[in-house]
Amino acid sequence: MHPIVKLVAQRLALGLLLLFAASILIFAGTSILPGDVAQQILGQAATPEALENLRRELGLNEPAVTRYFSWLGGILQGDLGTALTNGRDIAESLSSRLSNTLFLAFWAAVIAVPLAIFLGLLAVRYKDRWPDKIISGVTLTTISIPEFMIGYVLIYWVSIKWGMFSSVAIINDSMTLGQKLNAIAIPVMVLTLVVLAHMMRMTRAAILNVMQSAYIETAELKGLGMLKIIRKHAFPNAIAPIVNVVMLNLAYLVVGVVVVEVVFAYPGMGQYLVDHVSKRDVPVVQACGLIFAAVYIGLNLIADIVSILANPRLRHPK
Amino acid sequence: MTEPLLKVRGLKIGATIYPPGEKSREIEIVHGVDFDLAPGKVLGLIGESGAGKSTIGLASMAYGRGGVEITGGTVEVNGRDILSSGLRDVRRLRGAEVTYVSQSAAASFNPAKQIMEQVTEAAIFQNKFSKKEAEERAVELFRKLGLPDPENIGSRYPHQVSGGQLQRCMTALALCPQPDLVVFDEPTTALDVTTQIDVLAAIKEAIRDTGVAALYITHDLAVVAQVSDHIMVLQQGATVEYGTTDQIINHPKEDYTKALVSVRSIQHEEKQPTETPVLRVEGITARYKGTNFDVLKNINVELHPGQTLAVVGESGSGKSTLARVITGLLPPSSGKITFDGRELTPDLPTRPLEDLRELQMIYQMADTAMNPRQTVGTIIGRPLEFYFGLKGAEKQKRIQELLDEIELGDGFQDRYPAELSGGQKQRVCIARALAAKPKLIICDEVTSALDPLVADGILKLLLNLQKIEDVAYLFITHDLATVRAIADSIAVMFQGEVVRYGPKSQVLSPPFDDYTDLLLSSVPEMKLGWLEEVIANRKMESAGN
């Protein structure tokens, strides 16, 4: 068997194992939360009999292990359960929320990833000179400011003062793509500013590291220009670390957008999660947690596989 | 006389250094060097490390490595002063008129790109040839340099070919743009001797066939004698002597050149084996975890007290693995090791302290074998505390004794490794090994990273210490000259097996087995025409077979 196939298969198996472990953690974590769902639903005035009945109906009296496996079994069949608070099917409510979140994350990534890599390359080209310093300074500033702050600042200037984009990012299915993009423009900017620094600095560091190699000297002694050396000789060897940090940030774009979604009232997963956490709707929280874990593990799995594929020693064995 | 291709006048080169704990400062590393190189001629630049030879070579491409900067003088290539021209013009020169072959082709090839793309890159980029022409040229060069499967080797990646082959690919890379001058910077130093001879012959033939001029940089006078027309001897950034190859090799004028020519002056009478060996290795077979072949196959050797067993072989022959097995770092899959009359346990953690003390090790890279944050006194004092519990004045006294033994005077106790030269560092490592009062020291390529004159000093010291301390050495090396100088008995290793073993006089006298013969005949000799002789002999032999 080609060693790459073996390595990739190993990674996939490891990813599944991780996801399984994450499901246990999520279930255990939500199980030990204080408070009682039945109490929450029925309110303070509920009678002990009513509480007992509801608990039995919801299966809350079963042992945790039994509940875990029935939950897991449902998930494996695509059944995420029903929300306790409104009795709606979680998978159904989640799908539109998830696609909204992915829509926002996708456009943020489309802008942020190429921009970060380009700025990283530029910083290497002008290392320790003013373009490098400005790029580092600005991106470090934006990563240091809390994202809700950036969000409000951008709303104030871009939306209110300049009147360019909408300050509320509510989208629905009847909007055209242009309208949707207009609506999410400011959240995309915020997210871009937040994830830019990390990726840009990693790109810079990874390429500078490669630039120390003897083969870069070989390229210089061929008379090649700096940008060409960076693009042709340094970048291909810096892909693995760059992809890793890009994937971490993409995961952040999906998983970590809670604050931004709340600030802009954006109908994504984050808001959905926050709503149901406050209502102690455990099945929804579990489902969201599992999806977030899957996204995280999946993206990092991709990063791993890309790193493996980027290594010529593995791609072309002796 | 024809106009010189390369004309260097008053070349001064400076560097910024960053001494630990001090402010950075400028130092001059080349102090005004002059030379000419006519088209099609080969000039050998020779000297020890720090002589500035690579720096001078790169200056002919107006390139300074790291913080190195050309501070004065002129360098003319084809009549143009390249130091005063702008970066744009310099870039047109590099890779077109002047090209470079580095010491380590393995590091100098981009691991992510196919060989062909890298070999033809400069020729295409500099508009010397079209892609098709350049590729045809490359295949032609691969063939000329004796690479296997010249049509297809270009489509491989650097890690898919051997070190010797990659070094030839690097030569093809340098010759592909049809330059006027090639700078060869220690192109065979990193290779095994049996590989070196082939690469050397290939380079020499390529130089002759293409009529290219070359600067050949090396520390090995015997190698440079085979390829160059003229030789310039450098020491600490200044010219010591310049002359034709014949003059330098056969009639050196300066003392420094004479020392380089006559290096390895050590004479060592082989000692007779005693009754009981201090180390007996019996039937050792070993393999690394996760591999399916034996790195060592049924090794049987003996070492007698106060004597030296040289284990000689090329990279991958298993000689360092043997050291790992003896020290317990790699438990063998079968066989046993008897040390000083008792059997050693196979793995390190189960060995008693006494065994650890009596079996010490010295490594190739003294640099990495010492903690850079500890003073020499701490480094040498550690085994004294650890094995003997010495403290205070007693320990200080012993440290001083050891420093005297390794011929380092007062004041070294408080120095840090970074403040020492390569030879001094290795001496400190020797003192650290001696501090444990061992019966056996394993020396793993201890002189390989050192300049010949410094290495000579270390070998003399080791022999001297052997007399005083009656310690045995297991001396691992690839260098046959070193073996001749110090060994009492020799084990020649090849692909995990001992192919020849016995007292020195016997191992080094004919009749030889094939491998030992190849190994011995590949060691460059300091005489003109040696390379041609060997190659002609080998051709005759293979024709005769």
PDB file of all heavy atoms in Angstrom, chain A residues 15-16 18-23 26 75 80 98 102 247 250-251 254-255 269 286-302:
ATOM      1  N   GLY A  15      -9.336  10.731  13.662  1.00  0.00           N
ATOM      2  CA  GLY A  15     -10.346  11.789  13.705  1.00  0.00           C
ATOM      3  C   GLY A  15     -11.667  11.253  14.246  1.00  0.00           C
ATOM      4  O   GLY A  15     -12.302  11.875  15.102  1.00  0.00           O
ATOM      5  N   LEU A  16     -12.073  10.070  13.767  1.00  0.00           N
ATOM      6  CA  LEU A  16     -13.326   9.464  14.232  1.00  0.00           C
ATOM      7  C   LEU A  16     -13.256   9.163  15.728  1.00  0.00           C
ATOM      8  O   LEU A  16     -14.200   9.409  16.474  1.00  0.00           O
ATOM      9  CB  LEU A  16     -13.598   8.179  13.444  1.00  0.00           C
ATOM     10  CG  LEU A  16     -14.146   8.422  12.037  1.00  0.00           C
ATOM     11  CD1 LEU A  16     -14.286   7.108  11.278  1.00  0.00           C
ATOM     12  CD2 LEU A  16     -15.501   9.129  12.117  1.00  0.00           C
ATOM     13  N   LEU A  18     -11.422  10.661  17.909  1.00  0.00           N
ATOM     14  CA  LEU A  18     -11.472  11.941  18.624  1.00  0.00           C
ATOM     15  C   LEU A  18     -12.911  12.425  18.753  1.00  0.00           C
ATOM     16  O   LEU A  18     -13.331  12.907  19.806  1.00  0.00           O
ATOM     17  CB  LEU A  18     -10.670  12.994  17.861  1.00  0.00           C
ATOM     18  CG  LEU A  18      -9.247  13.246  18.333  1.00  0.00           C
ATOM     19  CD1 LEU A  18      -8.594  14.265  17.421  1.00  0.00           C
ATOM     20  CD2 LEU A  18      -9.282  13.785  19.759  1.00  0.00           C
ATOM     21  N   LEU A  19     -13.648  12.282  17.652  1.00  0.00           N
ATOM     22  CA  LEU A  19     -15.029  12.741  17.639  1.00  0.00           C
ATOM     23  C   LEU A  19     -15.844  11.962  18.661  1.00  0.00           C
ATOM     24  O   LEU A  19     -16.668  12.520  19.394  1.00  0.00           O
ATOM     25  CB  LEU A  19     -15.606  12.538  16.239  1.00  0.00           C
ATOM     26  CG  LEU A  19     -16.869  13.327  15.923  1.00  0.00           C
ATOM     27  CD1 LEU A  19     -16.639  14.805  16.146  1.00  0.00           C
ATOM     28  CD2 LEU A  19     -17.288  13.082  14.489  1.00  0.00           C
ATOM     29  N   PHE A  20     -15.579  10.667  18.729  1.00  0.00           N
ATOM     30  CA  PHE A  20     -16.247   9.813  19.706  1.00  0.00           C
ATOM     31  C   PHE A  20     -15.919  10.293  21.122  1.00  0.00           C
ATOM     32  O   PHE A  20     -16.816  10.457  21.961  1.00  0.00           O
ATOM     33  CB  PHE A  20     -15.776   8.381  19.475  1.00  0.00           C
ATOM     34  CG  PHE A  20     -16.385   7.391  20.401  1.00  0.00           C
ATOM     35  CD1 PHE A  20     -17.754   7.124  20.355  1.00  0.00           C
ATOM     36  CD2 PHE A  20     -15.605   6.716  21.323  1.00  0.00           C
ATOM     37  CE1 PHE A  20     -18.327   6.207  21.216  1.00  0.00           C
ATOM     38  CE2 PHE A  20     -16.173   5.802  22.190  1.00  0.00           C
ATOM     39  CZ  PHE A  20     -17.542   5.541  22.141  1.00  0.00           C
ATOM     40  N   ALA A  21     -14.642  10.557  21.368  1.00  0.00           N
ATOM     41  CA  ALA A  21     -14.218  11.046  22.691  1.00  0.00           C
ATOM     42  C   ALA A  21     -14.895  12.375  22.995  1.00  0.00           C
ATOM     43  O   ALA A  21     -15.357  12.618  24.123  1.00  0.00           O
ATOM     44  CB  ALA A  21     -12.705  11.184  22.731  1.00  0.00           C
ATOM     45  N   ALA A  22     -14.972  13.243  21.962  1.00  0.00           N
ATOM     46  CA  ALA A  22     -15.595  14.555  22.168  1.00  0.00           C
ATOM     47  C   ALA A  22     -17.056  14.386  22.543  1.00  0.00           C
ATOM     48  O   ALA A  22     -17.576  15.092  23.416  1.00  0.00           O
ATOM     49  CB  ALA A  22     -15.461  15.396  20.902  1.00  0.00           C
ATOM     50  N   SER A  23     -17.730  13.399  21.919  1.00  0.00           N
ATOM     51  CA  SER A  23     -19.157  13.191  22.226  1.00  0.00           C
ATOM     52  C   SER A  23     -19.322  12.787  23.686  1.00  0.00           C
ATOM     53  O   SER A  23     -20.252  13.228  24.351  1.00  0.00           O
ATOM     54  CB  SER A  23     -19.747  12.145  21.281  1.00  0.00           C
ATOM     55  OG  SER A  23     -19.326  10.851  21.653  1.00  0.00           O
ATOM     56  N   ILE A  26     -18.820  15.925  25.759  1.00  0.00           N
ATOM     57  CA  ILE A  26     -19.962  16.836  25.669  1.00  0.00           C
ATOM     58  C   ILE A  26     -21.125  16.309  26.503  1.00  0.00           C
ATOM     59  O   ILE A  26     -21.753  17.030  27.286  1.00  0.00           O
ATOM     60  CB  ILE A  26     -20.411  17.010  24.194  1.00  0.00           C
ATOM     61  CG1 ILE A  26     -19.344  17.803  23.429  1.00  0.00           C
ATOM     62  CG2 ILE A  26     -21.761  17.698  24.098  1.00  0.00           C
ATOM     63  CD1 ILE A  26     -19.513  17.748  21.933  1.00  0.00           C
ATOM     64  N   ILE A  75     -27.975   9.949  16.948  1.00  0.00           N
ATOM     65  CA  ILE A  75     -27.125  10.808  16.117  1.00  0.00           C
ATOM     66  C   ILE A  75     -26.605  10.040  14.912  1.00  0.00           C
ATOM     67  O   ILE A  75     -26.585  10.541  13.792  1.00  0.00           O
ATOM     68  CB  ILE A  75     -25.957  11.358  16.953  1.00  0.00           C
ATOM     69  CG1 ILE A  75     -26.494  12.411  17.924  1.00  0.00           C
ATOM     70  CG2 ILE A  75     -24.899  11.990  16.054  1.00  0.00           C
ATOM     71  CD1 ILE A  75     -25.522  12.772  18.993  1.00  0.00           C
ATOM     72  N   LEU A  80     -30.941  14.202  15.791  1.00  0.00           N
ATOM     73  CA  LEU A  80     -30.281  14.958  16.850  1.00  0.00           C
ATOM     74  C   LEU A  80     -31.209  15.169  18.044  1.00  0.00           C
ATOM     75  O   LEU A  80     -30.877  15.841  18.996  1.00  0.00           O
ATOM     76  CB  LEU A  80     -29.806  16.312  16.323  1.00  0.00           C
ATOM     77  CG  LEU A  80     -28.643  16.263  15.322  1.00  0.00           C
ATOM     78  CD1 LEU A  80     -28.381  17.642  14.757  1.00  0.00           C
ATOM     79  CD2 LEU A  80     -27.401  15.698  15.957  1.00  0.00           C
ATOM     80  N   LEU A  98     -26.898  26.463  10.686  1.00  0.00           N
ATOM     81  CA  LEU A  98     -25.539  26.047  10.332  1.00  0.00           C
ATOM     82  C   LEU A  98     -25.155  26.593   8.969  1.00  0.00           C
ATOM     83  O   LEU A  98     -24.054  27.095   8.770  1.00  0.00           O
ATOM     84  CB  LEU A  98     -25.443  24.514  10.340  1.00  0.00           C
ATOM     85  CG  LEU A  98     -24.065  23.946   9.997  1.00  0.00           C
ATOM     86  CD1 LEU A  98     -23.032  24.387  11.018  1.00  0.00           C
ATOM     87  CD2 LEU A  98     -24.110  22.416   9.933  1.00  0.00           C
ATOM     88  N   LEU A 102     -22.001  28.922   8.171  1.00  0.00           N
ATOM     89  CA  LEU A 102     -21.002  28.542   7.169  1.00  0.00           C
ATOM     90  C   LEU A 102     -20.899  29.602   6.075  1.00  0.00           C
ATOM     91  O   LEU A 102     -19.809  29.883   5.572  1.00  0.00           O
ATOM     92  CB  LEU A 102     -21.347  27.176   6.565  1.00  0.00           C
ATOM     93  CG  LEU A 102     -21.194  25.985   7.519  1.00  0.00           C
ATOM     94  CD1 LEU A 102     -21.603  24.695   6.821  1.00  0.00           C
ATOM     95  CD2 LEU A 102     -19.773  25.874   8.042  1.00  0.00           C
ATOM     96  N   MET A 247      -6.265  26.426   9.096  1.00  0.00           N
ATOM     97  CA  MET A 247      -7.378  25.563   9.496  1.00  0.00           C
ATOM     98  C   MET A 247      -7.860  25.894  10.912  1.00  0.00           C
ATOM     99  O   MET A 247      -9.057  25.889  11.183  1.00  0.00           O
ATOM    100  CB  MET A 247      -6.965  24.095   9.415  1.00  0.00           C
ATOM    101  CG  MET A 247      -6.861  23.592   7.991  1.00  0.00           C
ATOM    102  SD  MET A 247      -8.378  23.880   7.068  1.00  0.00           S
ATOM    103  CE  MET A 247      -7.833  23.624   5.407  1.00  0.00           C
ATOM    104  N   LEU A 250      -9.955  28.862  10.468  1.00  0.00           N
ATOM    105  CA  LEU A 250     -11.240  28.547   9.840  1.00  0.00           C
ATOM    106  C   LEU A 250     -12.172  27.942  10.874  1.00  0.00           C
ATOM    107  O   LEU A 250     -13.358  28.261  10.936  1.00  0.00           O
ATOM    108  CB  LEU A 250     -11.043  27.581   8.670  1.00  0.00           C
ATOM    109  CG  LEU A 250     -10.342  28.154   7.438  1.00  0.00           C
ATOM    110  CD1 LEU A 250     -10.362  27.145   6.309  1.00  0.00           C
ATOM    111  CD2 LEU A 250     -11.004  29.437   6.988  1.00  0.00           C
ATOM    112  N   ALA A 251     -11.604  27.074  11.701  1.00  0.00           N
ATOM    113  CA  ALA A 251     -12.411  26.467  12.753  1.00  0.00           C
ATOM    114  C   ALA A 251     -12.940  27.562  13.678  1.00  0.00           C
ATOM    115  O   ALA A 251     -14.107  27.543  14.084  1.00  0.00           O
ATOM    116  CB  ALA A 251     -11.592  25.455  13.532  1.00  0.00           C
ATOM    117  N   VAL A 254     -15.952  29.275  12.322  1.00  0.00           N
ATOM    118  CA  VAL A 254     -17.218  28.574  12.470  1.00  0.00           C
ATOM    119  C   VAL A 254     -17.640  28.526  13.935  1.00  0.00           C
ATOM    120  O   VAL A 254     -18.776  28.799  14.294  1.00  0.00           O
ATOM    121  CB  VAL A 254     -17.107  27.146  11.900  1.00  0.00           C
ATOM    122  CG1 VAL A 254     -18.404  26.389  12.120  1.00  0.00           C
ATOM    123  CG2 VAL A 254     -16.755  27.194  10.425  1.00  0.00           C
ATOM    124  N   VAL A 255     -16.686  28.181  14.780  1.00  0.00           N
ATOM    125  CA  VAL A 255     -17.007  27.881  16.169  1.00  0.00           C
ATOM    126  C   VAL A 255     -17.028  29.133  17.042  1.00  0.00           C
ATOM    127  O   VAL A 255     -17.802  29.239  17.984  1.00  0.00           O
ATOM    128  CB  VAL A 255     -15.986  26.864  16.716  1.00  0.00           C
ATOM    129  CG1 VAL A 255     -16.229  26.584  18.173  1.00  0.00           C
ATOM    130  CG2 VAL A 255     -16.048  25.584  15.913  1.00  0.00           C
ATOM    131  N   MET A 269     -25.506  29.661  14.035  1.00  0.00           N
ATOM    132  CA  MET A 269     -25.384  28.640  15.069  1.00  0.00           C
ATOM    133  C   MET A 269     -25.089  29.244  16.434  1.00  0.00           C
ATOM    134  O   MET A 269     -25.599  28.795  17.457  1.00  0.00           O
ATOM    135  CB  MET A 269     -24.202  27.714  14.735  1.00  0.00           C
ATOM    136  CG  MET A 269     -24.467  26.730  13.668  1.00  0.00           C
ATOM    137  SD  MET A 269     -25.036  25.187  14.366  1.00  0.00           S
ATOM    138  CE  MET A 269     -23.559  24.591  15.156  1.00  0.00           C
ATOM    139  N   GLN A 286     -26.109  20.023  23.371  1.00  0.00           N
ATOM    140  CA  GLN A 286     -25.317  18.851  22.997  1.00  0.00           C
ATOM    141  C   GLN A 286     -25.125  18.760  21.490  1.00  0.00           C
ATOM    142  O   GLN A 286     -24.017  18.526  20.997  1.00  0.00           O
ATOM    143  CB  GLN A 286     -26.002  17.578  23.501  1.00  0.00           C
ATOM    144  CG  GLN A 286     -25.849  17.384  24.997  1.00  0.00           C
ATOM    145  CD  GLN A 286     -26.736  16.274  25.507  1.00  0.00           C
ATOM    146  OE1 GLN A 286     -27.713  15.883  24.865  1.00  0.00           O
ATOM    147  NE2 GLN A 286     -26.403  15.759  26.687  1.00  0.00           N
ATOM    148  N   ALA A 287     -26.200  18.984  20.763  1.00  0.00           N
ATOM    149  CA  ALA A 287     -26.119  18.884  19.302  1.00  0.00           C
ATOM    150  C   ALA A 287     -25.158  19.933  18.756  1.00  0.00           C
ATOM    151  O   ALA A 287     -24.303  19.643  17.907  1.00  0.00           O
ATOM    152  CB  ALA A 287     -27.496  19.047  18.683  1.00  0.00           C
ATOM    153  N   CYS A 288     -25.289  21.170  19.265  1.00  0.00           N
ATOM    154  CA  CYS A 288     -24.394  22.240  18.801  1.00  0.00           C
ATOM    155  C   CYS A 288     -22.951  21.898  19.137  1.00  0.00           C
ATOM    156  O   CYS A 288     -22.057  22.045  18.308  1.00  0.00           O
ATOM    157  CB  CYS A 288     -24.765  23.571  19.446  1.00  0.00           C
ATOM    158  SG  CYS A 288     -26.293  24.260  18.818  1.00  0.00           S
ATOM    159  N   GLY A 289     -22.745  21.432  20.366  1.00  0.00           N
ATOM    160  CA  GLY A 289     -21.385  21.088  20.786  1.00  0.00           C
ATOM    161  C   GLY A 289     -20.788  20.041  19.876  1.00  0.00           C
ATOM    162  O   GLY A 289     -19.635  20.145  19.444  1.00  0.00           O
ATOM    163  N   LEU A 290     -21.599  19.056  19.554  1.00  0.00           N
ATOM    164  CA  LEU A 290     -21.084  17.974  18.719  1.00  0.00           C
ATOM    165  C   LEU A 290     -20.745  18.475  17.317  1.00  0.00           C
ATOM    166  O   LEU A 290     -19.726  18.099  16.738  1.00  0.00           O
ATOM    167  CB  LEU A 290     -22.125  16.857  18.651  1.00  0.00           C
ATOM    168  CG  LEU A 290     -21.565  15.521  18.180  1.00  0.00           C
ATOM    169  CD1 LEU A 290     -20.527  15.023  19.161  1.00  0.00           C
ATOM    170  CD2 LEU A 290     -22.685  14.497  18.033  1.00  0.00           C
ATOM    171  N   ILE A 291     -21.584  19.351  16.798  1.00  0.00           N
ATOM    172  CA  ILE A 291     -21.315  19.877  15.453  1.00  0.00           C
ATOM    173  C   ILE A 291     -20.040  20.733  15.467  1.00  0.00           C
ATOM    174  O   ILE A 291     -19.177  20.617  14.589  1.00  0.00           O
ATOM    175  CB  ILE A 291     -22.517  20.675  14.932  1.00  0.00           C
ATOM    176  CG1 ILE A 291     -23.609  19.679  14.545  1.00  0.00           C
ATOM    177  CG2 ILE A 291     -22.133  21.532  13.742  1.00  0.00           C
ATOM    178  CD1 ILE A 291     -24.900  20.299  14.151  1.00  0.00           C
ATOM    179  N   PHE A 292     -19.922  21.568  16.502  1.00  0.00           N
ATOM    180  CA  PHE A 292     -18.696  22.368  16.607  1.00  0.00           C
ATOM    181  C   PHE A 292     -17.475  21.468  16.698  1.00  0.00           C
ATOM    182  O   PHE A 292     -16.451  21.700  16.044  1.00  0.00           O
ATOM    183  CB  PHE A 292     -18.756  23.278  17.838  1.00  0.00           C
ATOM    184  CG  PHE A 292     -19.631  24.485  17.644  1.00  0.00           C
ATOM    185  CD1 PHE A 292     -20.252  25.118  18.714  1.00  0.00           C
ATOM    186  CD2 PHE A 292     -19.831  25.005  16.371  1.00  0.00           C
ATOM    187  CE1 PHE A 292     -21.046  26.240  18.528  1.00  0.00           C
ATOM    188  CE2 PHE A 292     -20.627  26.129  16.183  1.00  0.00           C
ATOM    189  CZ  PHE A 292     -21.243  26.742  17.265  1.00  0.00           C
ATOM    190  N   ALA A 293     -17.579  20.418  17.506  1.00  0.00           N
ATOM    191  CA  ALA A 293     -16.437  19.505  17.639  1.00  0.00           C
ATOM    192  C   ALA A 293     -16.110  18.866  16.297  1.00  0.00           C
ATOM    193  O   ALA A 293     -14.941  18.748  15.913  1.00  0.00           O
ATOM    194  CB  ALA A 293     -16.757  18.431  18.677  1.00  0.00           C
ATOM    195  N   ALA A 294     -17.162  18.480  15.566  1.00  0.00           N
ATOM    196  CA  ALA A 294     -16.942  17.834  14.277  1.00  0.00           C
ATOM    197  C   ALA A 294     -16.243  18.782  13.311  1.00  0.00           C
ATOM    198  O   ALA A 294     -15.331  18.396  12.582  1.00  0.00           O
ATOM    199  CB  ALA A 294     -18.272  17.361  13.697  1.00  0.00           C
ATOM    200  N   VAL A 295     -16.675  20.056  13.328  1.00  0.00           N
ATOM    201  CA  VAL A 295     -16.049  21.047  12.441  1.00  0.00           C
ATOM    202  C   VAL A 295     -14.564  21.198  12.796  1.00  0.00           C
ATOM    203  O   VAL A 295     -13.679  21.162  11.932  1.00  0.00           O
ATOM    204  CB  VAL A 295     -16.768  22.410  12.569  1.00  0.00           C
ATOM    205  CG1 VAL A 295     -15.945  23.508  11.921  1.00  0.00           C
ATOM    206  CG2 VAL A 295     -18.145  22.336  11.935  1.00  0.00           C
ATOM    207  N   TYR A 296     -14.315  21.336  14.090  1.00  0.00           N
ATOM    208  CA  TYR A 296     -12.938  21.511  14.554  1.00  0.00           C
ATOM    209  C   TYR A 296     -12.065  20.338  14.150  1.00  0.00           C
ATOM    210  O   TYR A 296     -10.991  20.484  13.568  1.00  0.00           O
ATOM    211  CB  TYR A 296     -12.933  21.636  16.086  1.00  0.00           C
ATOM    212  CG  TYR A 296     -12.150  22.812  16.558  1.00  0.00           C
ATOM    213  CD1 TYR A 296     -12.801  23.990  16.921  1.00  0.00           C
ATOM    214  CD2 TYR A 296     -10.764  22.783  16.626  1.00  0.00           C
ATOM    215  CE1 TYR A 296     -12.096  25.086  17.340  1.00  0.00           C
ATOM    216  CE2 TYR A 296     -10.058  23.877  17.039  1.00  0.00           C
ATOM    217  CZ  TYR A 296     -10.721  25.027  17.400  1.00  0.00           C
ATOM    218  OH  TYR A 296     -10.015  26.119  17.803  1.00  0.00           O
ATOM    219  N   ILE A 297     -12.561  19.147  14.479  1.00  0.00           N
ATOM    220  CA  ILE A 297     -11.777  17.953  14.179  1.00  0.00           C
ATOM    221  C   ILE A 297     -11.614  17.793  12.671  1.00  0.00           C
ATOM    222  O   ILE A 297     -10.527  17.511  12.172  1.00  0.00           O
ATOM    223  CB  ILE A 297     -12.436  16.710  14.809  1.00  0.00           C
ATOM    224  CG1 ILE A 297     -12.313  16.808  16.337  1.00  0.00           C
ATOM    225  CG2 ILE A 297     -11.790  15.434  14.296  1.00  0.00           C
ATOM    226  CD1 ILE A 297     -13.145  15.798  17.082  1.00  0.00           C
ATOM    227  N   GLY A 298     -12.696  18.039  11.939  1.00  0.00           N
ATOM    228  CA  GLY A 298     -12.645  17.882  10.487  1.00  0.00           C
ATOM    229  C   GLY A 298     -11.629  18.805   9.851  1.00  0.00           C
ATOM    230  O   GLY A 298     -10.801  18.374   9.037  1.00  0.00           O
ATOM    231  N   LEU A 299     -11.646  20.072  10.249  1.00  0.00           N
ATOM    232  CA  LEU A 299     -10.724  21.034   9.634  1.00  0.00           C
ATOM    233  C   LEU A 299      -9.278  20.702   9.995  1.00  0.00           C
ATOM    234  O   LEU A 299      -8.381  20.788   9.153  1.00  0.00           O
ATOM    235  CB  LEU A 299     -11.068  22.456  10.072  1.00  0.00           C
ATOM    236  CG  LEU A 299     -12.322  23.029   9.390  1.00  0.00           C
ATOM    237  CD1 LEU A 299     -12.735  24.331  10.033  1.00  0.00           C
ATOM    238  CD2 LEU A 299     -12.070  23.243   7.906  1.00  0.00           C
ATOM    239  N   ASN A 300      -9.055  20.316  11.246  1.00  0.00           N
ATOM    240  CA  ASN A 300      -7.681  19.972  11.623  1.00  0.00           C
ATOM    241  C   ASN A 300      -7.222  18.688  10.935  1.00  0.00           C
ATOM    242  O   ASN A 300      -6.048  18.524  10.622  1.00  0.00           O
ATOM    243  CB  ASN A 300      -7.555  19.855  13.133  1.00  0.00           C
ATOM    244  CG  ASN A 300      -7.442  21.235  13.765  1.00  0.00           C
ATOM    245  OD1 ASN A 300      -6.453  21.923  13.550  1.00  0.00           O
ATOM    246  ND2 ASN A 300      -8.461  21.646  14.481  1.00  0.00           N
ATOM    247  N   LEU A 301      -8.175  17.810  10.693  1.00  0.00           N
ATOM    248  CA  LEU A 301      -7.881  16.598   9.943  1.00  0.00           C
ATOM    249  C   LEU A 301      -7.417  16.968   8.542  1.00  0.00           C
ATOM    250  O   LEU A 301      -6.419  16.437   8.035  1.00  0.00           O
ATOM    251  CB  LEU A 301      -9.153  15.754   9.883  1.00  0.00           C
ATOM    252  CG  LEU A 301      -9.001  14.310   9.455  1.00  0.00           C
ATOM    253  CD1 LEU A 301      -8.243  13.571  10.525  1.00  0.00           C
ATOM    254  CD2 LEU A 301     -10.386  13.688   9.280  1.00  0.00           C
ATOM    255  N   ILE A 302      -8.127  17.919   7.933  1.00  0.00           N
ATOM    256  CA  ILE A 302      -7.737  18.366   6.594  1.00  0.00           C
ATOM    257  C   ILE A 302      -6.326  18.952   6.640  1.00  0.00           C
ATOM    258  O   ILE A 302      -5.486  18.662   5.788  1.00  0.00           O
ATOM    259  CB  ILE A 302      -8.734  19.410   6.052  1.00  0.00           C
ATOM    260  CG1 ILE A 302     -10.100  18.752   5.824  1.00  0.00           C
ATOM    261  CG2 ILE A 302      -8.224  20.021   4.763  1.00  0.00           C
ATOM    262  CD1 ILE A 302     -11.187  19.717   5.454  1.00  0.00           C
TER     263      ILE A 302
END
